[in-house]
Amino acid sequence: MDLSSSVLELKGVGEKTAITLNKIGVYTIRDILLHFPYNYILYPDPIEFPEIQEDTLVAVQGIVGTKPYFKGGRLQMVTATITDGTNKLPVCWYHTPYIRHSLNTGESYIFYGKVRNRNGRFTLEQPAVFSEEDYQKQQKTLQPIYHLTPGLTNKGFGKLASQTLQFARQMQDYLSDELKERRNLVDLSTAYVQAHFPKDFDELLAARKRLAFDEFFLFLLKIELLKTEKVKSLYRMQGQETILEEANKLPFTLTEGQHTALLDILNDMSSDTPMQRLLQGDVGSGKTVLAFLSMLYATTNGYQSALMAPTEVLARQHYEKLLAFCKEHAPFTNVYLLTGSIPAGQKKKIKQALLLDPTAMVVGTHALLTEDVSLNNLGLVITDEQHRFGVNQRQTLTEKGSLPHILVMSATPIPRTLALILYGDLDISVIKTVPRNRLPIKNCVVKRSYRKTAYEFMYKQISSGHQVYVICPLVEEREESDSADVGTYSALLEKYFKETNREVTIDCLHGKMRPQKKQEVMDRFALGEIQILVSTTVVEVGVDVPNATVMMVENAERFGLAQLHQLRGRVGRGDFQSYCIFVDGKAGSQKNERLEILNTSNDGFYIAEQDLKLRGPGDVFGIRQSGELDFQIADIYHDSDLLKDASWEAKEILKKDPTLSEAVHQPLHPILGI
Ligand code: ADP
Ligand code: MG
């Protein structure tokens, strides 16, 4: 058994558990080690029954009063009642049928779980159960809390994690003792053990620091290795005037930022080394049209170009827009779409066509390069919204033997000092302003009671010809969760408008839909056939429907600020006043501090900064940035000092060993395999 062994080899894992684990992306022992807790808690002292409050996590000691009752079916549920002698409290578990066998009627246990108000009655949901003695023992250490899926319990996953620790302990470190001492880092194996089971907060922070350092360090090594290759450009281009003339024919005037960036790009592509440029600009700053103009430059010089997007929806949209663009500016150029979901037969035809088409433009997802597509005249590669993907892909291209011009487009706001490190291998162009005709988005943060008002507002916008996005966090209905989901939500909206005799076309979109279906819905929304699109965050990245003027986000408190900012960027893209409604799903009148930041600012840089200030120590592993710089643990804002240290160390190592040929291990990192 080793790190790559299947989870099936662990004690207590059968076929069924393995399938459940697969659902959260866990297939091997390595995956378990990498499935870090997203939070840690210290179990609190049990409280008295009358002190129990709605929506809180509590520990209570109680005697099992009734025999636990099991209800099968799609939603498996076990219910019981516990008592403190005077008061009673219903308890329930979902998808955890076996729990009933570990509870004896008349015996006392400690229950730790969430209190919900179910039809006016408090219920303790999905509590972990302990003997009194056991609980006291647990109270002495931090408890890891994992992201799970129905069928897994936190306790169960913890047991699996502890089984895998023996492998963590055997890992050999690749960092020198000297470096670790200089940067005050713990051993690799210690880091993995302590990330899952820290004795206290100090151990946890030490583990996190080491893991974050590794992420930065390995990433930066990769970048530095790429940087050292200075080659001659095989694709020197000329005729910039033609492109500038075409730019003048666009339905709008380029902003100053766009114009300067375009000149940077054209100059790079005309020089004798390949372009390696980052184009940075907040959502809505108009990066896409620059991508198209660059592709046009490649075409007019007799070369192929490729544009890659992180999602199929976005690739498809870029494709449609590029088609329209070419109709105006390059009527004889063929544009192809190549994504994972295109049927094999059709794909084969496209690949063959590409072989014979020296000036073709291709739009696709990352499948584009990993597949055996041969683009033997490829002069320009553009990646939209995903830098890390850009790095790997450049490696692929270099390995294939030719280095085309590279343009990476990003909407992630990063301070310049950090950008210089993270994009150390790239030249940077920044578009600082959004087009002038844009009206700033009007925001509001509201509670659920405001929904009706919001729907009426939407209807007004729809009546004047506009469209609306509603974002919900979950796809499928899960009864243990009260957050809105796409299916139920669109039904609810439909009912609302029907009852008031108004006709509104509503449809939904989520990640689990077949790609074909996703495209179809997105197309219909873009064409204005759907008026309200109820969606998960699949629309988050880059989608552009300028006619949409309202974005309503349900359970906004569950999303990261960066993600909410990206979502908001889907509206306010045309000449119309746009609105963003953040619905704070949490009961009570208290204002959500994080959402207030979005309420008062539309500036991505400011939001990123404030987000950082608000993060508490409890967030150590829980922070999820969305977008291209999504390291698993490290956070570029939070760990900016560590990033600088890692950058220094990476350069230092390469000074002594420029190709890393003397490295003790290959791959360097036993878990990340880099
Ligand atoms: P992003 O930078 O977020 O990728 P897009 O490239 O999708 O932004 O552009 C957003 C919208 O702004 C698009 O509808 C695009 O046609 C429009 N746009 C781009 N540049 C300009 C401009 N200079 N003036 C007016 N509208 C523009
Ligand atoms: Mg974009």
Side-chain angles (χ1 to χ4, degrees):
M1 205 169 21
D2 60 25
L3 285 167
S4 316
S5 302
S6 157
V7 286
L8 280 165
E9 307 215 3
L10 291 171
K11 252 189 285 164
V13 180
E15 285 292 342
K16 207 168 146 226
T17 312
I19 290 168
T20 317
L21 284 167
N22 294 169
K23 281 191 200 153
I24 50 169
V26 171
Y27 296 85
T28 62
I29 289 171
R30 173 182 289 111
D31 295 337
I32 292 189
L33 278 174
L34 282 172
H35 193 76
F36 296 113
Y38 71 91
N39 203 355
Y40 302 81
I41 51 160
L42 264 178
Y43 282 130
D45 288 334
I47 60 171
E48 301 294 328
F49 279 33
E51 295 171 38
I52 291 173
Q53 281 180 12
E54 188 173 340
D55 269 340
T56 51
L57 273 167
V58 297
V60 288
Q61 182 157 20
I63 296 162
V64 179
T66 54
K67 191 166 169 306
Y69 171 75
F70 173 65
K71 179 175 146 283
R74 200 170 75 93
L75 181 74
Q76 297 180 333
M77 190 162 132
V78 176
T79 49
T81 302
I82 59 170
T83 165
D84 62 357
T86 326
N87 309 288
K88 282 184 183 160
L89 180 68
V91 184
C92 70
W93 293 267
Y94 302 99
H95 301 289
T96 324
Y98 43 85
I99 190 90
R100 66 188 189 276
H101 305 303
S102 53
L103 293 171
N104 298 323
T105 316
E107 233 169 85
S108 172
Y109 303 90
I110 292 184
F111 298 83
Y112 176 76
K114 183 140 191 185
V115 183
R116 301 258 190 208
N117 190 336
R118 287 241 166 246
N119 312 320
R121 233 166 42 133
F122 285 163
T123 303
L124 192 61
E125 291 204 339
Q126 211 70 13
V129 185
F130 306 89
S131 68
E132 193 177 346
E133 185 191 1
D134 209 16
Y135 192 75
Q136 281 164 359
K137 216 162 45 190
Q138 303 275 353
Q139 273 192 303
K140 293 201 178 85
T141 58
L142 282 177
Q143 298 299 319
I145 309 292
Y146 296 96
H147 278 301
L148 300 168
T149 182
L152 289 175
T153 64
N154 198 59
K155 214 167 160 181
F157 194 88
K159 274 189 190 151
L160 297 183
S162 71
Q163 279 189 63
T164 59
L165 292 187
Q166 49 167 314
F167 300 97
R169 291 200 181 93
Q170 288 161 12
M171 280 185 313
Q172 277 202 44
D173 208 338
Y174 67 99
L175 291 180
S176 68
D177 291 342
E178 191 195 335
L179 190 161
K180 279 181 279 185
E181 207 159 297
R182 184 164 55 234
R183 299 299 174 189
N184 194 13
L185 297 169
V186 296
D187 284 334
L188 190 61
S189 53
T190 312
Y192 277 93
V193 173
Q194 290 182 5
H196 285 277
F197 301 104
K199 267 212 278 306
D200 51 32
F201 217 71
D202 288 342
E203 278 201 9
L204 171 59
L205 288 180
R208 189 193 173 280
K209 181 177 175 188
R210 170 65 208 255
L211 296 172
F213 181 89
D214 282 29
E215 269 193 307
F216 282 149
F217 182 72
L218 294 165
F219 174 74
L220 293 168
L221 271 183
K222 219 159 150 183
I223 281 187
E224 289 294 326
L225 283 173
L226 281 170
K227 205 160 117 183
T228 49
E229 304 148 16
K230 264 265 180 273
V231 290
K232 261 208 148 13
S233 174
L234 297 172
Y235 311 98
R236 261 190 97 163
M237 307 198 182
Q238 50 189 8
Q240 299 190 24
E241 322 77 56
T242 326
I243 306 305
L244 296 173
E245 274 161 32
E246 293 302 323
N248 279 332
K249 292 186 203 155
L250 289 167
F252 44 73
T253 323
L254 291 184
T255 62
E256 205 182 305
Q258 281 174 314
H259 187 73
T260 316
L262 178 62
L263 291 182
D264 287 345
I265 293 168
L266 296 180
N267 283 334
D268 282 358
M269 290 171 70
S270 315
S271 83
D272 60 1
T273 49
M275 164 165 75
Q276 306 221 8
R277 183 166 292 277
L278 166 73
L279 175 59
Q280 208 189 2
D282 206 347
V283 282
S285 58
K287 298 181 289 291
T288 317
V289 69
L290 297 191
F292 292 176
L293 289 166
S294 322
M295 293 172 90
L296 184 63
Y297 196 34
T299 297
T300 54
N301 275 275
Y303 300 116
Q304 296 173 323
S305 56
L307 171 58
M308 282 181 263
T311 64
E312 293 230 5
V313 169
L314 190 56
R316 171 83 177 186
Q317 196 180 42
H318 280 335
Y319 169 71
E320 304 283 352
K321 292 198 147 196
L322 185 58
L323 274 182
F325 174 88
C326 283
K327 218 168 138 196
E328 292 295 320
H329 303 275
F332 301 110
T333 304
N334 293 316
V335 182
Y336 301 89
L337 176 69
L338 207 56
T339 61
S341 71
I342 288 176
Q346 204 179 332
K347 235 187 237 170
K348 206 169 151 196
K349 272 194 204 139
I350 296 175
K351 286 179 192 169
Q352 275 163 356
L354 284 170
L355 276 176
L356 304 171
D357 192 343
T359 63
M361 296 182 181
V362 197
V363 182
T365 48
H366 54 278
L368 225 171
L369 277 188
T370 46
E371 284 191 39
D372 55 335
V373 188
S374 136
L375 291 160
N376 44 17
N377 198 33
L378 185 64
L380 168 68
V381 175
I382 305 174
T383 64
D384 192 13
E385 311 277 359
Q386 221 160 14
H387 177 245
R388 301 248 264 163
F389 162 46
V391 171
N392 289 331
Q393 164 203 49
R394 255 175 294 158
Q395 254 177 351
T396 316
L397 283 169
T398 319
E399 279 154 20
K400 282 191 178 177
S402 75
L403 198 62
H405 296 291
I406 308 256
L407 182 65
V408 177
M409 306 201 293
S410 159
T412 306
I414 327 173
R416 188 160 176 83
T417 46
L418 299 187
L420 286 176
I421 296 176
L422 285 164
Y423 301 104
D425 51 334
L426 303 175
D427 299 312
I428 305 180
S429 298
V430 184
I431 310 178
K432 288 220 177 73
T433 48
V434 295
R436 226 188 328 212
N437 58 350
R438 244 15 106 54
L439 296 163
I441 298 169
K442 291 193 174 159
N443 303 293
C444 64
V445 179
V446 298
K447 296 284 177 181
R448 282 187 181 159
S449 53
Y450 183 82
R451 272 182 185 158
K452 277 216 169 83
T453 320
Y455 300 159
E456 289 306 316
F457 179 74
M458 281 179 194
Y459 188 72
K460 260 198 209 146
Q461 287 287 310
I462 292 169
S463 306
S464 56
H466 293 301
Q467 291 161 280
V468 174
Y469 293 101
V470 178
I471 307 292
C472 306
L474 287 175
V475 187
E476 278 163 44
E477 185 179 7
R478 278 214 255 139
E479 251 176 69
E480 66 267 43
S481 153
D482 57 358
S483 65
D485 74 273
V486 186
T488 348
Y489 201 93
S490 54
L492 184 140
L493 269 178
E494 249 157 44
K495 192 164 154 247
Y496 178 84
F497 288 111
K498 202 172 258 162
E499 276 172 359
T500 44
N501 274 326
R502 289 174 290 183
E503 222 169 275
V504 178
T505 320
I506 302 171
D507 214 326
C508 45
L509 187 70
H510 57 77
K512 286 192 184 159
M513 271 158 60
R514 276 182 304 118
Q516 213 92 8
K517 177 82 184 146
K518 254 192 266 182
Q519 270 169 29
E520 193 190 303
V521 173
M522 215 40 233
D523 288 349
R524 281 173 45 228
F525 188 66
L527 287 171
E529 287 169 16
I530 296 172
Q531 290 163 313
I532 303 183
L533 182 64
V534 181
S535 168
T536 56
T537 51
V538 268
V539 301
E540 181 188 335
V541 182
V543 171
D544 185 38
V545 181
N547 190 44
T549 53
V550 183
M551 163 67 64
M552 174 162 164
V553 187
E554 286 283 349
N555 289 99
E557 78 285 356
R558 298 198 173 194
F559 295 94
L561 283 191
Q563 202 177 11
L564 288 171
H565 180 61
Q566 283 280 339
L567 281 169
R568 174 167 61 186
R570 298 312 109 218
V571 296
R573 301 173 80 82
D575 304 341
F576 324 104
Q577 177 64 57
S578 291
Y579 306 87
C580 191
I581 306 167
F582 299 109
V583 184
D584 178 359
K586 217 169 158 95
S589 61
Q590 211 180 3
K591 275 197 178 176
N592 181 313
E593 236 183 308
R594 290 169 58 254
L595 295 179
E596 281 309 311
I597 294 174
L598 290 164
N599 198 7
T600 47
S601 173
N602 286 325
D603 175 353
F605 275 89
Y606 173 80
I607 290 163
E609 235 168 63
Q610 294 303 309
D611 192 13
L612 172 62
K613 284 192 191 150
L614 276 185
R615 280 177 199 158
D619 290 334
V620 264
F621 280 88
I623 304 161
R624 287 251 75 110
Q625 286 289 327
S626 87
E628 62 254 57
L629 289 166
D630 197 2
F631 292 101
Q632 208 203 346
I633 293 153
D635 179 277
I636 52 168
Y637 304 102
H638 188 271
D639 304 309
S640 54
D641 287 337
L642 197 62
L643 175 63
K644 287 171 195 159
D645 293 349
S647 166
W648 192 90
E649 295 292 355
K651 284 184 183 150
E652 197 62 18
I653 284 202
L654 289 173
K655 248 189 240 164
K656 290 183 204 129
D657 180 10
T659 54
L660 285 186
S661 53
E662 291 159 32
V664 198
H665 309 289
Q666 289 293 352
L668 282 181
H669 194 292
I671 290 215
L672 301 177
I674 299 171

